[in-house]
């Protein structure tokens, strides 16, 4: 045994343990200092570290000299009181093995196993401690425990049925499986698993498929359907593995997960994806039709304008008069098709106002009855109380006429068309099932018929322009496309419910309007008025349209200044010494739009009135196709009569 000298009262000499310089002392000193294990000699009374070997220096990060100036309390994470208590146990030989957490010089905390033996040296009580780094072991234990707790938690919380079958007969089932199937444990144990399958075919398919997978991969997973005790079916993900590798005869353990919600979500997602693709297709077609409508409108403006003026200058008994009327009728029908295209593409400029849908529909009932014919009964069921909506009244006319004509054509012989209104609230759940819907308060307009109905493949295309199931010459295929465009332009939604031989119902939802008072539409015939001596500046970049419009205005008696485009118009303003009462300008022009042009001219003529005209979307003067109050707008193509009325409105 190593001879130990007494330590002085203040501190022991650095080599207090190695006073004797003999071979034995050198041997034991080397064993202490160079042993691979971390070793400490600790004063059992005070906790002072008396000696530390090189392994301790490496492990803790302090030098041996630094360690010998420390107490074990400086290293142990226990409180000083707890540390003294543990040292007392070691000193009294109550314990030899301790599990501690020790600090290192860089601030790390390490788990350690400490083996302490108590020795007496010249009357001093000393603890010889061997320290093993247990950090990795403790971490592995904690990870294992956490993993076990996690798996146990998942097992308890997950809605998974678990069981064992032998020859496909239940031998063990858990509570989750009973809850899934509605059967008690006693009702399942000893029963064939066939009890859970809705058909023999499904039962045989699952058995065959799992057998093949288990033979190949030692595990089989299939999606199937189970029939609960109450008769309802659920979608199940079934995973099975043999108790003995690839030996089904010894029994199979399985887990069953109810995936009904997931399968329903997949079906809903496929439905929503189809609705989204349809909406994108409709939007693309809308942009295309809007461009076509713009170009065609300019041509129609010239045709109808000159035809109208030619009719005014032709005697009714002249042979050419009838031809001119036919040209005008064809042009007007073409103009109506253009208006439908613009309505579908949501590029129709509108002037909405607050109105009561009941009042508006009520004023149309007699006309709609004549439209659908006497053999079809028109049932009008208005809501007792209805909030206002904000929409152009003419658009209500368009929607009702198109829907009622569609309903009439779906009825063979005698039938009923029902128009109904109702205030509704659309919730988030409904929006989840119907792509494009937004939660909120709406006024619903419903048009139903008991006609032939439609199969799904027809319903997918009914809002596409030019799509029709009618014969050649019986329809343009723009009626329902027009309805769709109007609804979308007014931030509304439309749903269709139909089955072959069971009729069709269209439900239109328009947002409720609460910012203004209800206003009912008032229609009145306005007679054309001629000039009262005013001067009009006419601006149009199309020379043919410019010439035609100038002729119309001059025939109405106005003094007309013309500018073929904005820059030419500004030159006319500079050279004109007199007053200009009204600016009549196209909206979309290459050099400058109509609104910017009017702003420039208003600098010289502050009291100038403005009438905008366009055959396309008036987004320059309208917000999303909706005219602000006080803005006067004339849709192309227009007649002399329509032009005269709009001019007087603008000059009023």
């Amino acid at each position: 045994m190593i001879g130990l000298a007494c330590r002085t009262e203040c501190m022991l000499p650095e080599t207090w343990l190695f006073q004797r310089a003999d071979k034995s002392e050198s041997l034991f000193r080397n064993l202490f200092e160079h042993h691979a294990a971390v070793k400490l000699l600790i004063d059992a009374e005070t906790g002072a570290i008396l000696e530390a070997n090189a392994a301790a220096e490496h492990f803790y990060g302090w030098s041996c000299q630094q360690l010998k100036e420390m107490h074990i309390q400086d290293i142990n994470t226990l409180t000083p009181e707890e540390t003294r208590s543990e040292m007392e146990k070691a000193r009294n030989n109550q314990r030899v093995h301790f599990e501690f957490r020790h600090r290192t010089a860089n601030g790390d905390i390490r788990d350690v196993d400490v083996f302490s033996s108590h020795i007496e040296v010249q009357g001093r009580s000393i603890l010889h401690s061997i320290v093993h780094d247990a950090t990795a072991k403790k971490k592995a234990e904690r990870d294992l425990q956490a993993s076990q707790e996690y798996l146990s938690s998942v097992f308890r919380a997950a809605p998974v049925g678990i069981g064992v079958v032998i020859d496909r007969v239940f031998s063990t089932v858990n509570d989750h499986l009973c809850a899934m199937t509605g059967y008690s444990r006693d009702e399942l144990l000893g029963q064939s698993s066939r009890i859970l399958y809705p058909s023999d075919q499904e039962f045989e398919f699952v058995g065959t498929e799992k057998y093949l997978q288990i033979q190949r991969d030692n595990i089989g997973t299939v999606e199937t359907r189970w029939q609960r005790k109450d008769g309802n079916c659920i979608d199940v993900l079934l995973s099975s593995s043999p108790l003995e590798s690839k030996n089904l005869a010894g029994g199979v353990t399985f887990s069953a997960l109810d995936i009904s919600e997931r399968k329903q979500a997949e079906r809903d997602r496929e439905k929503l994806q189809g609705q989204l693709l349809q909406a994108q297709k409709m939007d693309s077609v809308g942009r295309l039709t809007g461009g076509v409508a713009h170009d065609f409108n300019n041509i129609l403006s010239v045709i109808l304008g000159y035809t109208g003026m030619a009719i005014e200058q032709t005697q009714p008994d002249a042979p050419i008069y009838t031809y001119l009327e036919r040209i005008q009728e064809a042009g007007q029908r073409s103009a109506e098709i253009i208006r439908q295209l613009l309505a579908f593409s949501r590029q129709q400029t509108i002037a909405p106002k607050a109105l009561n849908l009941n009042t508006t529909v009520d004023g149309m009932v007699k006309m709609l009855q004549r439209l659908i014919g006497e053999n079809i009964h028109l049932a009008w069921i208005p809501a007792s109380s209805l909030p206002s909506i904000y929409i152009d009244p003419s658009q209500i006319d368009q929607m009702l006429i198109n829907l009622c004509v569609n309903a009439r054509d779906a009825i063979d012989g005698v039938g009923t068309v029902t128009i109904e209104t109702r205030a509704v609230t659309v919730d988030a759940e409904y929006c989840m099932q119907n792509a494009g819907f937004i939660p909120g308060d709406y006024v619903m307009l419903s048009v139903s018929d008991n006609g032939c109905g439609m199969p799904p493949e027809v319903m997918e295309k009914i809002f596409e322009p030019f799509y029709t199931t009618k014969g050649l010459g019986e329809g343009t295929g723009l009626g329902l496309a027009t309805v769709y465009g109007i609804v979308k332009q007014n931030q509304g939604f439309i749903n269709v419910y139909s089955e072959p031989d069971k009729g069709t119902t269209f439900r239109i939802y328009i947002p409720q309007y609460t910012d203004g008072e209800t206003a009912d539409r008032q229609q009145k015939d306005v007679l054309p008025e001629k000039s009262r001596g005013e001067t009009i500046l006419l601006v149009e970049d199309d020379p043919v349209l410019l010439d035609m419009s100038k002729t119309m205005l001059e025939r109405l008696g106005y003094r007309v200044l013309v500018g073929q485009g904005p820059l030419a118009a500004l030159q006319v303003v500079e050279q004109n010494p007199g007053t200009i009462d009204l600016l009549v300008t196209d909206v979309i022009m290459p050099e400058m739009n109509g609104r910017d042009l009017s702003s420039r001219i208003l600098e010289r003529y502050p009291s100038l009135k403005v009438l905008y005209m366009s055959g396309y979307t008036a987004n320059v003067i309208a917000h999303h196709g909706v005219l602000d109050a006080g803005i006067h707008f004339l849709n192309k193509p227009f007649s002399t009569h329509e032009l005269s009325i709009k001019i007087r409105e603008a000059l009023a």
Side-chain angles (χ1 to χ4, degrees), residues 1-2 4 16-17 40-42 44 90-91 93 116-129:
M1 180 176 179
I2 300 174
L4 299 177
W16 71 276
L17 186 61
L40 298 173
L41 293 181
I42 303 168
R91 187 173 58 188
N93 294 319
S116 287
S117 57
H118 175 243
I119 57 177
E120 292 286 338
V121 180
Q122 297 182 355
R124 294 191 64 118
S125 181
I126 299 172
L127 296 178
H128 180 207
S129 297

Side-chain angles (χ1 to χ4, degrees), residues 137-154:
K137 183 188 74 172
K138 289 296 183 182
K139 183 179 183 303
E141 291 176 355
R142 287 192 294 269
D143 290 346
L144 178 60
Q145 183 178 0
S147 177
Q148 290 174 338
E149 291 176 353
Y150 172 77
L151 292 175
S152 177
S153 175
V154 169

Side-chain angles (χ1 to χ4, degrees), residues 177-190:
L177 188 70
C178 295
M180 283 177 60
T181 62
Y183 290 98
S184 68
R185 180 177 279 100
D186 291 339
E187 290 174 320
L188 289 176
L189 295 181

